[in-house]
Amino acid sequence: MTTATSERPPVIDRAVWQELAEDLETLARLHDREPDRTLVDELRQSPIAEWFALPLGDSGGAAVFDHALGELPRPVDRESLDTLATDYADIYLVHGLHASPAESPWLDPDHLVCQEPMFQVREWYAHYGLEATDWRQRSDDHLVVQLRFMAHLARTATDYSLVDLARFLDRHALRWIPDFAERVAARCRTPFFAGLAVLTSDYLEQLRDLVEAITGLEREVVEIKPDSQPAAAPAPQPYMPGVGPGW
């Protein structure tokens, strides 16, 4: 991994970056597991934008997420939680929406899992003495793992780590998460996960703008060859127990 040590050092407010790291951890938590009654009740305590230190402005994802929470019964019932669990499984476990929550299928020419993008992000983690807990269960390039790595960069809050945060967003996260969010929002069955997907993409775009404002680093444009675009997917199929994952 190349760190741009020659760029001018940013002015760092460490307290702010600790809060932004918590933002990223919050997003990771929301993608990490299916929501239960406790989480839904917790999220309802205030508008979702107030959960984040980074101003979300007119984030469409935040509005959809707030609406989704408002539409759930009070208290949330078992049927609603089961629907959310099924949607979670379709997105993150069995790929029922054909919207992989990992980078490789989006950028690999053959749309395969655990390809070169995974090994590239593994090198980023190793540079900071980190590694995925269990890459067989959740690959290094998985959305949750990438969010937690970006939280680590924000929490470190040095001139070098913020440069690396900018470059990680340019070279990895923002090359595939917006497409993931768009597909999930179009295909999932619950507004909860539609809102979460778009919220995550919105947040990372605005985070990149903030890093540019602080460091002066303009976005890198990484070309994607036409045959590297995700293949057109068939109509999504609902989760069926016993049906294995596939792109």
Side-chain angles (χ1 to χ4, degrees):
M1 177 179 59
T2 301
T3 302
T5 57
S6 61
E7 304 290 347
R8 67 178 178 84
V11 177
I12 297 171
D13 184 332
R14 294 186 181 278
V16 169
W17 283 100
Q18 301 310 302
E19 293 179 351
L20 296 175
E22 289 303 312
D23 285 357
L24 291 160
E25 292 284 5
T26 295
L27 288 172
R29 175 192 177 195
L30 292 172
H31 288 281
D32 181 58
R33 56 191 180 273
E34 63 192 54
D36 57 18
R37 184 172 289 107
T38 300
L39 178 60
V40 171
D41 289 343
E42 185 180 356
L43 291 171
R44 281 171 158 170
Q45 292 177 9
S46 60
I48 195 63
E50 295 181 11
W51 284 82
F52 296 96
L54 183 67
L56 295 176
D58 297 326
S59 166
V64 173
F65 205 21
D66 284 332
H67 177 75
L69 291 168
E71 289 294 303
L72 290 171
R74 292 178 181 268
V76 64
D77 56 20
R78 184 71 260 167
E79 181 180 359
S80 298
L81 291 174
D82 287 346
T83 301
L84 289 169
T86 300
D87 219 12
Y88 176 87
D90 279 342
I91 299 166
Y92 301 97
L93 302 180
V94 302
H95 306 301
L97 306 187
H98 300 279
S100 174
E103 181 176 332
S104 288
W106 295 95
L107 301 186
D108 177 69
D110 297 316
H111 318 298
L112 300 176
V113 300
C114 299
Q115 298 302 303
E116 181 61 25
M118 186 191 78
F119 294 103
Q120 290 175 357
V121 297
R122 183 177 291 177
E123 290 182 6
W124 280 85
Y125 304 161
H127 181 81
Y128 283 86
L130 304 171
E131 61 181 9
T133 304
D134 183 354
W135 67 268
R136 292 176 181 85
Q137 181 177 17
R138 182 173 279 171
S139 61
D140 301 64
D141 58 342
H142 192 280
L143 173 60
V144 171
V145 184
Q146 290 198 16
L147 286 169
R148 286 177 173 156
F149 175 62
M150 289 185 282
H152 177 81
L153 294 178
R155 190 175 295 109
T156 302
T158 65
D159 51 351
Y160 303 119
S161 75
L162 296 190
V163 167
D164 278 346
L165 177 58
R167 293 312 180 216
F168 188 82
L169 283 161
D170 293 342
R171 298 172 189 178
H172 294 285
L174 288 178
R175 291 182 65 197
W176 71 277
I177 292 175
D179 290 332
F180 163 80
E182 181 179 359
R183 187 171 290 183
V184 168
R187 295 171 179 244
C188 67
R189 67 181 69 203
T190 62
F192 181 97
F193 284 108
L196 176 58
V198 179
L199 171 66
T200 303
S201 179
D202 289 349
Y203 184 94
L204 295 179
E205 292 284 359
Q206 293 182 56
L207 179 64
R208 182 61 183 89
D209 288 342
L210 176 64
V211 177
E212 180 175 348
I214 292 173
T215 65
L217 286 172
E218 297 181 357
R219 297 194 186 206
E220 284 187 351
V221 178
V222 182
E223 295 294 334
I224 303 176
K225 296 180 181 179
D227 63 355
S228 296
Q229 298 288 352
Q237 299 297 317
Y239 169 60
M240 296 292 291
V243 177
W247 172 245

